[in-house]
Amino acid sequence: MKDLIVCFYQAFHQLDANKMTSYYHKDVVFEDPAFGVLKAERARAMWKMLCESQKGKDFKIEATNITENSAHWEAFYTFSKTGRKVHNKIDARFEFKDGLIIKHTDDFNLHNWAKQAIGFKGLLLGGSGFFKKKLQSQTNYLLDKYMAEKKLPN
């Protein structure tokens, strides 16, 4: 399944969400600290939203240490709400069913991300459960809005 993970990140590097999500099983479950748990169509829509929002910007990823069920990847971009540069280091784990990704879990240090993306407030609050809950609420609100605008199934 290593080749599938390599293809997933190649598509991500090209910001090709349709290709990325073609490697997802119809019942995929995605999870990360920023969005929480997203299932099926919401997981696919999240990648579409993220890729669309980064086209023409300074977004870059590097995927390394790809194995049969994991990868390390790093994202470099400017956080649009603050204009601050972010270098996020993510460890991904994958599970497969029918030759496709059925579970994708991205793990990163949310406190470190918050310090970079938000600055002083992120330094103070980024490690708290309150911050994580608030961030997930905001990201899921944006995802709901995106899905409604694009008329995507929820």
Side-chain angles (χ1 to χ4, degrees):
M1 302 319 295
K2 180 179 179 178
D3 290 343
L4 188 73
I5 297 171
V6 168
C7 290
F8 178 86
Y9 286 109
Q10 285 173 340
F12 191 15
H13 178 73
Q14 297 164 352
L15 295 175
D16 186 344
N18 288 330
K19 190 165 202 165
M20 288 173 71
T21 59
S22 74
Y23 302 117
Y24 271 3
H25 188 277
K26 68 179 179 68
D27 298 321
V28 70
V29 176
F30 172 84
E31 182 175 2
D32 84 347
F35 283 89
V37 176
L38 301 175
K39 296 180 180 177
E41 292 306 320
R42 289 185 65 76
R44 283 184 268 286
M46 182 265 309
W47 289 117
K48 290 176 184 177
M49 179 178 78
L50 290 177
C51 286
E52 279 181 27
S53 73
Q54 293 303 320
K55 288 202 174 172
K57 298 192 177 161
D58 66 345
F59 179 82
K60 180 177 92 163
I61 71 151
E62 294 174 358
T64 58
N65 299 331
I66 298 173
T67 71
E68 292 298 317
N69 62 1
S70 68
H72 175 81
W73 64 282
E74 299 187 20
F76 304 84
Y77 60 96
T78 301
F79 187 59
S80 61
K81 285 192 173 191
T82 61
R84 296 175 63 90
K85 297 279 187 196
V86 173
H87 174 193
N88 199 14
K89 299 175 183 178
I90 302 111
D91 289 312
R93 292 183 316 280
F94 299 90
E95 294 176 25
F96 302 91
K97 181 178 178 182
D98 303 327
L100 296 169
I101 300 165
I102 186 74
K103 187 164 188 200
H104 175 181
T105 305
D106 277 352
D107 186 41
F108 60 88
N109 185 314
L110 188 59
H111 193 206
N112 284 346
W113 175 86
K115 286 187 285 187
Q116 293 177 68
I118 301 165
F120 187 67
K121 258 199 224 180
L123 172 66
L124 293 179
L125 301 173
S128 70
F130 168 79
F131 177 83
K132 184 175 183 179
K133 188 175 177 181
K134 178 97 168 135
L135 178 65
Q136 288 179 1
S137 173
Q138 288 175 340
T139 55
N140 278 276
Y141 168 77
L142 292 173
L143 182 58
D144 289 339
K145 187 175 165 188
Y146 174 84
M147 291 178 77
E149 286 171 3
K150 300 289 183 176
K151 296 179 175 42
L152 298 173
N154 200 341

